[in-house]
Amino acid sequence: MYSKSPLNLAARNLRSLSYKTRRIHTSTRVSPDTPETASTSKLDGDSQERWLFIDSVFPIRLGIWDLRHYIGILREENLLERLHERLETVKTHDFHIHELQPYQKDGGVFVRFTYTGRDHQTALETLQTDLQLEATKHGGLPSWSGLNHCNIWLVKGEPFLEDMYRYPSGIVHVSFQGPDVPEEALYSLFRSCGRIQNITSPTPVPAGTLRSSDILFHRVRSATIARNTIHGYTFSDGDGITRLKTVYQRPIQAHAIRDWLTSHPRIVLPIIFFLLGTLTYTIFDPIRVLSVEGKMLNWFDYREYKLYKWLRANALDRFSLTSLAREDVSPQGDIWKERKDAESAVRSYLSDLPSTVAFVHGPQGSGKSRMVEAIIRDTGRKTLVIDCAELNRATSDMRLVSALAQQTGYRPIFAFLNSVNNMVDIATVGLIGQKAGFKSSLEDQLKQILEVTGTALKKVNHSLRTSAQRAVKATQEAEARRAEEARTRARIRAGTWHDPRLDCIAGNGVISELGVGDELLEGDDGGLAGFNVIEEDVVNLSDGGEKTSEELARQQHRHAEDVQVMRTLPIVVIKNYAARGGVYKEELLGVLAHWAASLAENQVAHVIVVSDNREDAKLLARALPSKPLNSIALHDADAPTALSFVRRRLYDAGITSDLTPAQKKAIEHLGGRTSDLERLIHKVCSNQGIEEAVEDIIADGVGELRKKAFGEDIDDAKSLPWSREQAWTVLKQLARRAELPYYEVLLDVPFKGDELPLRVMEHAEIISISTRHGRPSTIRPGKPVFKYVFERLVNDPVFQATQDIALNDKVISSAESTVRTCESELSTLQDLSKTERSFWWFRRRATSERREYLLKKMRSAQTKIQTLEKRNAELKRVLAKGV
């Protein structure tokens, strides 16, 4: 029987407690019976003491995370008792067990025993064989798993029991306290423990460090047997005596993973980038879709909460001393015919499934955005608004991405990572010789935001459609209940209604006649007659009539579904498309165009693009090559409509006095631009006269146009995409004429066929270019009031003289260049005429004809130079007066 002394029991309980609490705190277990003597101890007489090691009694603990050792702790007492009973039946060589020492970390048990024998080697071999036979006879030794596949090993060295964090592994590190042990001797010594895969040779080590070899076993069980049976073994040969020390070697050395990762960047970096991208798509994209959907459905808008609405209606509005400001209303439909036509076109587009994009264009200030907002407010549909003017103010791609994410509700957004990714690409060039491609281009980032937004729009459509279907179903059920109640009341009045609850009292069948059944109530024949008439009318309907009613009901149901689909589609409004400015304008507009086209083609949402210029539709047209755009134009109102609009707005503001002819003429100077008319009304409401207000608007326009078209100084003028001479040429001609032929201006000085300055001036709203048959046709002022602004600029003597002198100097320079060219060519012709011969006396020479042409051209240029120089002298006298 194994020792059950109080000391052993206490040690065993302490060991179990240590294993159970190892996750909580570190404890050091030192068994009082741990042998520290030699493998063979001499006792009284011929008795000898040795150790056995029985493997696989307990589960081998591979790490601190291995929880199987708790099974061994629970079964320790039972397993040790059964093992002791199984082993003590052997009496060979006076075999006697003194102690069983469990070593659960390595899954085995040390057995301290004594024996007698003169030939110790033969006695030990015989004793080990008998123990194995005894175990085999009883089906093996007991183990924690019940498989009974334990083996008995004779400890050749000294048992070393410790509770440090040195968990078993398949590699045994053997240190030599003495001369090196040959590889053949190591193999012969350790092979009996199990199959060996590799033995490393000793390597040079610093002075004072033991040389060693690593032995790699095929199984961890074999390594535990070798570690516990050979530790402390003394090996001797002709070179000397060597004591072997064994310890487990971790399969992966410290920092081995880190070292491998840093030494293989070509493999590691792409994997890391792939995992980060996968993390973004699997975790953050659903959150971003939810965020965009919440913005569309007003989940995060406190003003949509019922509690806020109740507080606003019952508390805030009652205690508020100020009333809500009157919203700016759009011009009335019966007054502004142009606006009415455009509004009808937009409503017609929203009432059908989207197949293309609605492009609303018109001059700035014509009321495009206000009209679209009013229509959307009337429809009550969910709307996503993207303002390109705010996006174009971004000075970097990071700010542009952040601005677009803010407008769409795309969160979370890590815009700063773009700079980090750029640094990573620079670092990877030094590591692997090429960019990792982790940095996304601006176009890819914008596409990602819009793709997530498109997914959210689909979910919004589905959510709204589901809610609408539930509402329709609830309405139908309510109507069915009301119809059923009406039929029940009619049957009660007719006396044919039977309450089934009476059956619980009177019963069924004949007994039910005691209650109220299908018999008529007394005195209600008239009601029954009316009800019978209704039933007869229903029965007398023909089969064709019934089918017609069913088809009509189905058509009405389909129509209701179509209307429901239209009302649940969200609306995407892209305002200020192709607005001025913006370093990233082309990339932004291109991405928005393709995204808007995909939304319309897939019928995800109605898309309305608002722009100031019809030429901006080219990007959208390229994104929709197979379908035409739904182009909706807003124009300035004519004079009678503008006058009626001003009258109506002044009347609404409380100004009822009629307009005088002078006031009407002043209003006509503003034309039909909505923004200018609104500005006039605001000034008149501020107690300013109409003539004075119009004069202020024109004066402000003169200062604004002078700065916009000519710049504040010479340095500012150099940054303009057109020259002062080009702007002055157009303004001077438009001050005299209502419109100019486009190609006449284009081919004349100072443009000479360059269309870019005219296009840029159109985008700056200095001029407007109308088209005919798809080509530019005429040039008009950018706003109706600009005609009078141009006249003011042209009639300013000093400004006119300054600009005319600059223009004349440029024309003179061009004419002088023409004269010099003609002189050079004439000199060349003079040399050619000496060698030229004429075979016919009446035939003119080619050099003579060319000479006459050049002389005429030179004479014309010289005349122009003289005229312009004379004109410049007159203009300089004007400047000298300083008027």
Side-chain angles (χ1 to χ4, degrees):
M1 191 74 180
Y2 69 94
S3 176
K4 290 188 179 181
S5 63
L7 183 59
N8 288 340
L9 291 176
R12 192 157 45 249
N13 294 335
L14 178 62
R15 182 166 60 252
S16 300
L17 181 61
S18 172
Y19 273 97
K20 294 178 182 179
T21 60
R22 185 167 295 176
R23 287 183 177 270
I24 304 175
H25 64 279
T26 303
S27 62
T28 303
R29 177 175 60 85
V30 180
S31 175
D33 295 323
T34 300
E36 297 179 356
T37 60
S39 62
T40 303
S41 300
K42 291 186 177 181
L43 302 177
D44 297 339
D46 295 332
S47 296
Q48 302 290 330
E49 183 180 282
R50 291 295 296 268
W51 288 85
L52 295 174
F53 180 75
I54 304 175
D55 68 288
S56 303
V57 178
F58 302 103
I60 299 175
R61 192 175 186 186
L62 301 177
I64 195 172
W65 45 266
D66 194 346
L67 303 179
R68 295 178 303 166
H69 75 286
Y70 289 108
I71 302 176
I73 293 174
L74 295 175
R75 301 191 60 188
E76 178 180 348
E77 296 289 340
N78 183 29
L79 289 175
L80 293 179
E81 288 181 0
R82 292 173 58 193
L83 186 62
H84 185 273
E85 293 175 356
R86 191 71 53 83
L87 296 178
E88 69 177 357
T89 58
V90 178
K91 300 301 181 180
T92 306
H93 296 287
D94 297 332
F95 175 77
H96 179 67
I97 299 176
H98 288 275
E99 182 184 3
L100 296 178
Q101 186 66 42
Y103 191 34
Q104 293 193 10
K105 189 169 65 171
D106 285 4
V109 175
F110 284 99
V111 180
R112 185 163 61 91
F113 68 94
T114 58
Y115 71 99
T116 58
R118 298 185 181 276
D119 187 355
H120 296 291
Q121 185 66 27
T122 305
L124 290 174
E125 291 178 358
T126 304
L127 185 59
Q128 184 178 4
T129 303
D130 291 345
L131 289 173
Q132 292 284 6
L133 291 175
E134 183 66 20
T136 304
K137 183 172 63 175
H138 292 84
L141 297 177
S143 67
W144 69 280
S145 62
L147 300 178
N148 301 331
H149 59 280
C150 306
N151 291 325
I152 301 174
W153 304 87
L154 183 64
V155 178
K156 300 178 182 180
E158 300 173 359
F160 178 48
L161 282 73
E162 43 80 19
D163 60 352
M164 294 181 287
Y165 290 147
R166 296 178 179 176
Y167 295 105
S169 68
I171 303 175
V172 177
H173 183 75
V174 183
S175 301
F176 307 136
Q177 289 183 341
D180 292 347
V181 178
E183 183 175 332
E184 295 81 0
L186 289 176
Y187 180 82
S188 177
L189 181 62
F190 284 90
R191 179 61 181 85
S192 59
C193 300
R195 182 180 176 185
I196 298 175
Q197 293 184 350
N198 188 27
I199 299 178
T200 61
S201 300
T203 57
V205 295
T209 305
L210 298 178
R211 290 168 63 85
S212 61
S213 294
D214 292 337
I215 302 176
L216 176 60
F217 286 91
H218 181 66
R219 299 177 62 185
V220 178
R221 177 185 177 187
S222 302
T224 59
I225 296 171
R227 156 70 176 78
N228 290 282
T229 59
I230 302 179
H231 178 79
Y233 175 75
T234 302
F235 175 82
S236 61
D237 58 1
D239 296 335
I241 299 175
T242 302
R243 186 172 183 270
L244 304 181
K245 295 178 63 176
T246 58
V247 67
Y248 296 116
Q249 183 72 42
R250 301 301 299 170
I252 301 178
Q253 300 293 331
H255 309 302
I257 297 178
R258 184 189 65 187
D259 295 340
W260 187 91
L261 293 177
T262 55
S263 61
H264 296 80
R266 293 177 180 268
I267 301 174
V268 174
L269 291 179
I271 294 176
I272 292 176
F273 299 152
F274 172 76
L275 293 178
L276 290 176
T278 304
L279 181 68
T280 300
Y281 283 107
T282 55
I283 296 180
F284 291 114
D285 277 4
I287 298 176
R288 290 161 176 163
V289 170
L290 188 65
S291 177
V292 177
E293 186 179 0
K295 178 180 176 62
M296 291 287 297
L297 299 177
N298 298 323
W299 290 349
F300 313 118
D301 189 359
Y302 66 91
R303 292 171 295 184
E304 297 295 329
Y305 295 161
K306 294 182 179 179
L307 178 60
Y308 176 81
K309 292 180 179 180
W310 183 86
L311 290 174
R312 184 64 182 268
N314 294 276
L316 299 179
D317 290 345
R318 293 185 179 182
F319 292 103
S320 178
L321 299 177
T322 59
S323 60
L324 295 177
R326 182 178 62 87
E327 296 182 357
D328 293 334
V329 295
S330 59
Q332 301 296 326
D334 55 345
I335 297 177
W336 206 303
K337 180 179 180 301
E338 293 82 358
R339 180 67 53 80
K340 184 177 180 181
D341 296 339
E343 184 175 347
S344 300
V346 174
R347 292 184 182 276
S348 175
Y349 170 74
L350 295 178
S351 64
D352 196 2
L353 285 175
S355 59
T356 185
V357 177
F359 183 72
V360 180
H361 63 91
Q364 186 176 17
S366 57
K368 303 180 296 296
S369 298
R370 185 179 302 174
M371 180 196 69
V372 173
E373 291 173 1
I375 293 173
I376 293 175
R377 188 166 53 249
D378 292 342
T379 59
R381 291 164 59 176
K382 300 299 180 182
T383 307
L384 176 66
V385 180
I386 298 177
D387 191 355
C388 295
E390 296 182 4
L391 300 180
N392 284 328
R393 284 194 288 268
T395 56
S396 63
D397 54 352
M398 182 177 68
R399 293 186 177 180
L400 175 59
V401 171
S402 300
L404 182 60
Q406 179 70 22
Q407 293 187 10
T408 57
Y410 180 90
R411 295 183 183 88
I413 177 70
F414 308 108
F416 66 92
L417 289 180
N418 195 27
S419 300
V420 177
N421 296 337
N422 190 19
M423 297 176 62
V424 170
D425 282 344
I426 295 174
T428 54
V429 170
L431 290 175
I432 63 178
Q434 61 183 4
K435 289 186 178 181
F438 194 55
K439 182 187 180 218
S440 300
S441 63
L442 175 61
E443 185 176 355
D444 293 337
Q445 296 180 63
L446 297 177
K447 284 182 179 179
Q448 181 182 2
I449 295 177
L450 295 178
E451 285 176 2
V452 172
T453 305
T455 304
L457 290 174
K458 293 180 182 178
K459 298 189 69 174
V460 168
N461 185 14
H462 177 73
S463 177
L464 294 176
R465 188 174 300 180
T466 303
S467 300
Q469 289 175 351
R470 286 198 297 264
V472 170
K473 184 177 180 181
T475 304
Q476 293 176 352
E477 291 178 353
E479 292 179 354
R481 285 195 299 270
R482 288 194 295 269
E484 182 64 26
E485 291 174 358
R487 287 194 297 269
T488 301
R489 287 194 294 269
R491 293 179 63 188
I492 290 175
R493 288 194 298 268
T496 60
W497 181 73
H498 172 66
D499 190 351
R501 292 175 294 181
L502 295 175
D503 295 340
C504 298
I505 302 174
N508 296 322
V510 179
I511 303 178
S512 66
E513 296 179 359
L514 299 176
V516 179
D518 293 337
E519 297 82 8
L520 298 178
L521 296 175
E522 295 181 359
D524 200 15
D525 296 342
L528 177 61
F531 186 75
N532 290 337
V533 170
I534 296 175
E535 290 184 338
E536 289 177 1
D537 292 339
V538 174
V539 172
N540 291 332
L541 288 174
S542 61
D543 294 339
E546 292 178 356
K547 293 181 180 179
T548 303
S549 301
E550 292 178 357
E551 291 178 358
L552 181 60
R554 283 196 297 268
Q555 291 177 359
Q556 292 177 352
H557 182 68
R558 285 195 298 268
H559 178 70
E561 289 182 349
D562 293 340
V563 173
Q564 175 184 336
V565 169
M566 299 304 147
R567 292 178 178 176
T568 56
L569 280 176
I571 301 174
V572 176
V573 178
I574 303 177
K575 298 196 308 182
N576 298 316
Y577 188 75
R580 298 187 305 274
V583 182
Y584 311 100
K585 174 182 173 182
E586 297 299 330
E587 296 180 357
L588 174 64
L589 297 183
V591 172
L592 287 176
H594 286 86
W595 180 64
S598 65
L599 292 180
E601 289 179 342
N602 297 323
Q603 297 183 349
V604 176
H606 286 97
V607 183
I608 301 176
V609 179
V610 182
S611 178
D612 298 334
N613 195 339
R614 184 171 56 183
E615 297 297 324
D616 298 330
K618 293 180 180 179
L619 285 174
L620 292 172
R622 285 197 292 267
L624 281 168
S626 60
K627 297 179 181 178
L629 291 177
N630 188 355
S631 184
I632 302 172
L634 269 76
H635 303 288
D636 295 328
D638 54 11
T641 303
L643 193 59
S644 300
F645 172 71
V646 173
R647 282 201 188 102
R648 175 64 63 88
R649 295 299 299 271
L650 292 177
Y651 179 80
D652 295 339
I655 301 175
T656 58
S657 59
D658 198 5
L659 299 177
T660 63
Q663 292 175 340
K664 294 179 181 180
K665 185 176 181 181
I667 294 174
E668 290 179 357
H669 289 173
L670 300 180
R673 184 63 55 88
T674 307
S675 57
D676 293 335
L677 296 177
E678 291 283 355
R679 189 177 176 187
L680 170 65
I681 294 168
H682 179 72
K683 287 180 176 293
V684 173
C685 293
S686 301
N687 298 324
Q688 193 174 7
I690 293 180
E691 296 89 342
E692 183 182 359
V694 173
E695 184 65 24
D696 286 347
I697 293 175
I698 295 176
D700 293 342
V702 170
E704 177 187 356
L705 185 64
R706 183 175 296 175
K707 179 180 178 180
K708 183 187 295 185
F710 300 96
E712 295 183 352
D713 50 24
I714 298 297
D715 295 334
D716 192 15
K718 291 179 180 179
S719 62
L720 296 174
W722 58 81
S723 64
R724 286 183 170 182
E725 293 78 14
Q726 291 172 337
W728 176 250
T729 299
V730 176
L731 267 61
K732 186 176 181 180
Q733 296 183 38
L734 286 176
R736 302 190 184 102
R737 300 162 61 183
E739 60 182 24
L740 303 175
Y742 177 82
Y743 289 100
E744 179 183 346
V745 177
L746 179 64
L747 299 177
D748 199 1
V749 178
F751 293 96
K752 292 187 176 181
D754 187 8
E755 289 186 301
L756 181 60
L758 290 175
R759 294 295 182 181
V760 177
M761 281 192 283
E762 181 187 18
H763 283 284
E765 298 174 359
I766 298 175
I767 61 174
S768 64
I769 300 175
S770 60
T771 60
R772 183 179 182 184
H773 303 301
R775 60 171 178 80
S777 176
T778 56
I779 299 176
R780 296 188 179 92
K783 298 196 308 188
V785 72
F786 275 2
K787 176 176 175 55
Y788 302 95
V789 173
F790 294 165
E791 290 180 357
R792 291 285 180 89
L793 286 175
V794 172
N795 294 331
D796 184 353
V798 176
F799 186 77
Q800 180 186 11
T802 304
Q803 300 304 320
D804 280 344
I805 289 174
L807 179 61
N808 293 340
D809 288 341
K810 192 167 185 178
V811 176
I812 290 172
S813 176
S814 177
E816 288 178 347
S817 177
T818 302
V819 170
R820 286 193 295 269
T821 303
C822 292
E823 289 175 349
S824 176
E825 190 171 353
L826 286 172
S827 177
T828 304
L829 291 175
Q830 183 68 25
D831 297 336
L832 291 176
S833 63
K834 297 178 180 179
T835 59
E836 185 181 18
R837 297 179 180 179
S838 178
F839 295 96
W840 302 97
W841 64 271
F842 56 84
R843 184 175 181 180
R844 301 184 63 185
R845 297 179 179 181
T847 55
S848 300
E849 294 180 357
R850 182 64 179 172
R851 186 184 301 108
E852 291 179 3
Y853 169 76
L854 292 174
L855 290 173
K856 291 180 180 179
K857 187 175 182 180
M858 188 169 61
R859 188 180 301 107
S860 175
Q862 182 62 29
T863 303
K864 183 183 295 185
I865 291 172
Q866 293 175 355
T867 303
L868 293 178
E869 286 181 349
K870 184 178 179 181
R871 175 62 180 165
N872 283 349
E874 296 176 357
L875 294 174
K876 288 178 181 179
R877 285 195 294 271
V878 173
L879 293 177
K881 294 179 181 179
V883 179

